[in-house]
C-alpha cells in the first residue's frame, strides 16, 4: 500500500479522505497547523504532523514528504479569513507543496481547487471571494507548469450531507453541489486508480458511480 501526505489535514474533506484511505490500508499523514486538532486525525486513521505551510521552507516540507507515493493539497484559509490569507495559504501553500514535491522526488500531486477557478470573479463580487478565486486560479496555473503527475479537482458547492456515490466528473459540468463525502471518495479513487493525470476536472453530484466516473479518466 501507499504512503500519502495530505496538506490541510484537519479540513473537513481531508478528514473524510484520511478515513477512506486508511481504511483501504494506506499509510496516511495529515499536516495541520495547530496540534489541538491532532486527535481528529488519529480518529480518522491518520498520523498528525504539525506543520505550518505559511512559515516553513521548501526544504523543511521536502523532508516531511520524502518517500511518499502521493501528496494531496487540501489546505485552505477557510471561512472568515482575510483576502491576504487566501494568497498565503490557498496559493502559497500549494506552491510550497509543489516545490517540496519536486525537491523530494514525489511525482503524484492531487490539488483540491474550486469550481469558478480559471476565470475572474463576477463584477461586484466580495473582495475576499475575488481573492479566493484568483488564488485558486494561480495555484492551478503554477501546478500545470510543473513536471509532476498532477490532477486538479474543482468541486462545486460543498455539502455536509451523506454521500450519494454518483457524480459528474468532467472538464466542464453544469452548476451544482456535492457532499464532501463524495469529494473525498473521488480523491481516493483518483489516487488508487492513478487516474486523471494532467487533467483539470470539475465535480458535482450526478448519475455516474464514482468508481466508473474516475475510471473514465484513466490512460
Amino acid at each position: 500500500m501507499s504512503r500519502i501526505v495530505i496538506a490541510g489535514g484537519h479540513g473537513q474533506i481531508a478528514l473524510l479522505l484520511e478515513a477512506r484511505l486508511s481504511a483501504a490500508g494506506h499509510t496516511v499523514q495529515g499536516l495541520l497547523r495547530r496540534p489541538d486538532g491532532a486527535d481528529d486525525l488519529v480518529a480518522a486513521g491518520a498520523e498528525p504532523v504539525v506543520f505550518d505551510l505559511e512559515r516553513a521552507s521548501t526544504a523543511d516540507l521536502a523532508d516531511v514528504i520524502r518517500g511518499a507515493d502521493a501528496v494531496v493539497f487540501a489546505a485552505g484559509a477557510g471561512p472568515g479569513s482575510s483576502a491576504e490569507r487566501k494568497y498565503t495559504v490557498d496559493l502559497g501553500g500549494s506552491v510550497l507543496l509543489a516545490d517540496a514535491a519536486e525537491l523530494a522526488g514525489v511525482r503524484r500531486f492531487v490539488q483540491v481547487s474550486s469550481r469558478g477557478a480559471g476565470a475572474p470573479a463576477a463584477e461586484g463580487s466580495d473582495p475576499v471571494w475575488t481573492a479566493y478565486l484568483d488564488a485558486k486560479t494561480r495555484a492551478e496555473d503554477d501546478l500545470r507548469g510543473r513536471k509532476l503527475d498532477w490532477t486538479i479537482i474543482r468541486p462545486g458547492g460543498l455539502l455536509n450531507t451523506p454521500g450519494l456515490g454518483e457524480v459528474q466528473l468532467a472538464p466542464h459540468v453544469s452548476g451544482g453541489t456535492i457532499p464532501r463525502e463524495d469529494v473525498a471518495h473521488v480523491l481516493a479513487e483518483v489516487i488508487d486508480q492513478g487516474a486523471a493525470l494532467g487533467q483539470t476536472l470539475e465535480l458535482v453530484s450526478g448519475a455516474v458511480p464514482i468508481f466508473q466516473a474516475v475510471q473514465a479518466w484513466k490512460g
Side-chain angles (χ1 to χ4, degrees), residues 19 21 26 40 45 56-57 59 65 72 80 112 119 122-123 139 142 144 151 163-164 174 179 188-189 214 218:
L21 291 172
H26 298 293
D40 295 329
S57 70
I65 68 172
V72 179
V112 183
E123 187 175 350
D142 172 79
R144 290 191 198 98
T151 299
L164 302 173
S174 56
E189 288 293 345
V214 173
K218 287 189 70 174

Side-chain angles (χ1 to χ4, degrees), residues 113-182:
S113 187
S114 174
R115 283 202 67 215
E123 187 175 350
S125 293
D126 174 77
V128 176
W129 175 250
T130 299
Y132 172 75
L133 286 184
D134 183 52
K136 288 297 189 187
T137 297
R138 290 168 61 180
E140 289 186 3
D141 290 344
D142 172 79
L143 188 56
R144 290 191 198 98
R146 297 176 184 267
K147 294 181 179 179
L148 294 170
D149 294 332
W150 57 265
T151 299
I152 298 168
I153 301 294
R154 295 172 169 174
L158 296 169
L159 305 174
N160 284 328
T161 52
L164 302 173
E166 296 184 333
V167 298
Q168 296 180 61
L169 181 66
H172 300 286
V173 302
S174 56
T177 58
I178 184 166
R180 285 179 170 85
E181 186 176 333
D182 284 339

Side-chain angles (χ1 to χ4, degrees), residues 56-104:
S57 70
T58 300
D60 288 340
L61 186 51
D63 286 343
V64 172
I65 68 172
R66 187 167 283 110
D69 297 284
V71 293
V72 179
F73 184 78
S81 59
S82 66
E84 180 183 8
R85 291 201 69 230
K86 303 303 182 188
Y87 289 104
T88 58
V89 180
D90 294 81
L91 171 58
S94 180
V95 171
L96 180 70
L97 184 60
D99 285 342
E102 290 180 334
L103 182 61

